[in-house]
Amino acid sequence: MAGNSRDSGRSTLDRTFTLLDAFTLAKPSLRLTDLVELSGLPRSTCHRIAIELVELGVLEHTDDGRYAVGLRLWSLASSSPRHQELRRVAAPFMADLYEATRENVQLAVPDGLVARVVEKVSGPGSVRNVTTPGGPLSLHCTGVGKVILAFSDPSLLSQVLDAGLERHTAYTLVEPGRLTANIAQVRRTSLGWAIEERTLGACSVAAPLFDAQGELKGALGIVARSSANLERVSSAVRMAALSVSRLLASPPALPDPHRHRRTSH
């Protein structure tokens, strides 16, 4: 009864997003009991909403009886016009970076207290990487995340520090002073590095992407093996990011009103 009273007065849409918020990169599939515990919704409500979302393709039923985020949700998110231009401009440079390194190439944008991956290129030979398109990345321990922290409003770093810095490996920067100094270095060099801070055996290097107004649009990065030649990888990422920013800052070509007049003479 207590669960039902807590749930009273909430819209179906509110309950649905509360249930979807239970899924994270660390917990991509959940049992019904997990959904109940993480969402705080009554079991009957969770079950009803989950079944409806499966029918709609927003969630999927896995072979072991769990629920997982379905492809339709990512398809809807990827159709958003907000980052379509960024993805379109960055795509060929991401392909070139992959061909040059054979490692994971990812495009990320700010999304609250995380970085959100909106595009990724990888192959069978790439280092194992937990990143998935549409998935979140921590800001304090990834190359793209550090770039976003460095070139966003300083209040974002304060919020991340206040929320607490989760340790993923022995190399994760969890001391506020060390992270703050590291972010200042990223701002000076326009390169974000994270060496085995998120995953042992892997490192990430990223550079910022700016529009014509100098506003941060996202970060372009590579996740490679820790044994990779980081100077070569960094140079490649920096050049690709500069090229993307140059195109983002270029106004669209306008038709020449005198073209027809000149060619007609």
Side-chain angles (χ1 to χ4, degrees):
M1 297 294 291
N4 287 329
S5 63
R6 286 199 311 269
D7 194 46
S8 62
R10 300 177 63 180
S11 69
T12 300
L13 187 61
D14 180 39
R15 295 186 186 102
T16 300
F17 275 95
T18 297
L19 186 145
L20 289 174
D21 281 341
F23 295 93
T24 65
L25 192 60
K27 298 177 180 178
S29 63
L30 298 168
R31 299 169 300 175
L32 180 60
T33 53
D34 299 325
L35 287 173
V36 172
E37 179 181 352
L38 293 169
S39 69
L41 297 171
R43 184 181 180 88
S44 59
T45 301
C46 279
H47 186 255
R48 174 177 54 80
I49 294 176
I51 291 300
E52 291 177 356
L53 292 177
V54 168
E55 292 174 352
L56 292 170
V58 176
L59 292 181
E60 294 176 349
H61 228 151
T62 63
D63 292 338
D64 60 357
R66 294 171 176 257
Y67 294 95
V69 174
L71 290 177
R72 186 175 185 185
L73 191 60
W74 168 241
S75 177
L76 287 170
S78 62
S79 66
S80 168
R82 182 180 176 190
H83 303 301
Q84 281 184 352
E85 178 66 8
L86 178 61
R87 293 166 60 202
R88 183 190 67 79
V89 172
F93 298 99
M94 295 179 69
D96 288 345
L97 278 176
Y98 172 73
E99 289 299 326
T101 64
R102 294 290 169 174
E103 293 289 5
N104 304 283
V105 182
Q106 54 195 27
L107 178 66
V109 296
D111 186 16
L113 297 184
V114 299
R116 188 73 58 179
V117 177
V118 295
E119 197 65 80
K120 177 182 177 181
V121 181
S122 62
S126 305
V127 67
R128 182 179 177 275
N129 181 19
V130 297
T131 305
T132 57
L137 288 174
S138 300
L139 295 179
H140 71 289
C141 60
T142 61
V144 292
K146 290 182 179 183
V147 165
I148 289 172
L149 281 177
F151 294 98
S152 296
D153 190 280
S155 63
L156 179 60
L157 177 57
S158 298
Q159 293 177 58
V160 169
L161 294 175
D162 290 343
L165 305 176
E166 181 181 358
R167 182 183 292 281
H168 296 279
T169 74
Y171 303 102
T172 308
L173 299 182
V174 293
E175 299 83 5
R178 290 183 65 197
L179 179 63
T180 300
N182 187 239
I183 296 304
Q185 182 182 23
V186 175
R187 197 175 298 116
R188 289 193 300 270
T189 62
S190 292
L191 278 176
W193 293 53
I195 301 176
E196 297 193 332
E197 293 183 39
R198 179 63 182 83
T199 306
L200 291 175
C203 65
S204 60
V205 183
L209 305 172
F210 300 105
D211 63 12
Q213 289 72 45
E215 295 286 332
L216 179 73
K217 300 300 292 183
L220 179 64
I222 283 182
V223 179
R225 292 166 175 79
S226 300
S227 58
N229 184 329
L230 296 185
E231 287 190 12
R232 184 176 71 87
V233 171
S234 298
S235 297
V237 170
R238 188 197 297 275
M239 290 302 298
L242 287 172
S243 298
V244 173
S245 293
R246 192 176 298 116
L247 288 177
L248 290 174
S250 301
L254 298 176
D256 183 352
H258 305 294
R259 181 174 180 272
H260 179 70
R261 185 183 307 167
R262 286 201 300 267
T263 56
S264 62
H265 288 294

